[in-house]
């Protein structure tokens, strides 16, 4: 897909355990590979389609950002979007051997053209791909080390 990047990892656990972590926005700082999420400020215990959740983010300066869940299939897919229209999506595929393939995608294709180009010029796709890979590594460590 144009104007999107993604990466995948295999995690040794079932999709429901992974989805429980992904759908709890208060846990996002635990596995965020960008280091930009500094805490939730207004979030439900579990996300569902249409849920809104606000996070404190720090990219240079600290600011709040509100996200809305735009895709939700229990134990399979969750995606959210903020006012800038960027989409973060996680997709889970059960592999049948107590492992799950987790894919994370950052999609900026629905942003207005000037913003899309600005994100590209500023190097966000390359930087975010690195952060996605780190996020997936962190998620794997978090979930495989749970008792």
């Amino acid at each position: 897909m144009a104007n999107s990047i993604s990466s995948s990892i295999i995690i040794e656990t079932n999709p429901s355990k992974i989805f429980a972590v992904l759908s709890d926005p208060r846990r996002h700082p635990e596995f965020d590979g960008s280091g930009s999420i500094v805490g939730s400020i207004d979030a439900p215990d579990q996300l569902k389609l249409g849920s809104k959740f606000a996070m404190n983010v720090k990219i240079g300066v600290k600011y709040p950002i509100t996200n809305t869940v735009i895709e939700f299939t229990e134990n399979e897919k969750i995606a959210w979007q903020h006012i800038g229209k960027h989409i973060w999506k996680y997709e889970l595929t059960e592999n049948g051997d107590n492992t799950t393939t987790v894919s994370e995608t950052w999609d900026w294709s629905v942003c207005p053209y000037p913003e899309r180009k600005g994100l590209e010029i500023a190097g966000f796709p390359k930087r975010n791909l690195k952060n996605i890979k780190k996020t997936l590594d962190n998620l794997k460590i978090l979930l495989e080390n749970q008792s």
Side-chain angles (χ1 to χ4, degrees):
M1 178 188 314
N3 302 114
S4 72
I5 53 169
S6 63
S7 188
S8 299
I9 198 165
I10 295 174
I11 299 178
E12 292 182 23
T13 193
N14 62 60
S16 63
K17 288 183 181 176
I18 300 166
F19 200 81
V21 172
L22 294 174
S23 63
D24 181 351
R26 296 163 302 159
R27 297 203 63 191
H28 291 183
E30 293 178 48
F31 59 89
D32 169 44
S34 71
S36 64
I37 299 175
V38 293
S40 63
I41 55 173
D42 184 20
D45 292 343
Q46 292 294 162
L47 299 173
K48 60 184 180 184
L49 187 62
S51 291
K52 294 190 183 304
F53 63 102
M55 307 296 280
N56 276 324
V57 176
K58 185 173 183 186
I59 301 176
V61 297
K62 187 174 174 184
Y63 59 94
I65 191 103
T66 299
N67 299 285
T68 303
V69 177
I70 59 169
E71 293 183 53
F72 186 95
T73 305
E74 185 98 21
N75 300 328
E76 292 179 19
K77 177 174 33 176
I78 187 166
W80 53 82
Q81 183 176 48
H82 64 56
I83 193 167
K85 303 292 186 200
H86 312 198
I87 298 168
W88 286 264
K89 180 189 296 189
Y90 291 89
E91 296 173 283
L92 312 176
T93 304
E94 189 168 12
N95 297 323
D97 57 356
N98 198 40
T99 68
T100 304
T101 300
V102 180
S103 299
E104 182 182 0
T105 301
W106 177 61
D107 181 351
W108 68 100
S109 65
V110 294
C111 296
Y113 178 79
E115 182 178 349
R116 255 192 343 261
K117 285 298 158 199
L119 290 167
E120 292 164 6
I121 290 168
F124 277 89
K126 183 178 179 181
R127 184 176 14 213
N128 282 357
L129 182 57
K130 178 182 169 190
N131 294 340
I132 284 171
K133 290 177 180 181
K134 179 68 173 160
T135 294
L136 292 172
D137 287 342
N138 292 345
L139 190 62
K140 178 179 178 74
I141 292 165
L142 176 70
L143 286 154
E144 290 183 356
N145 290 330
Q146 283 185 351
S147 50

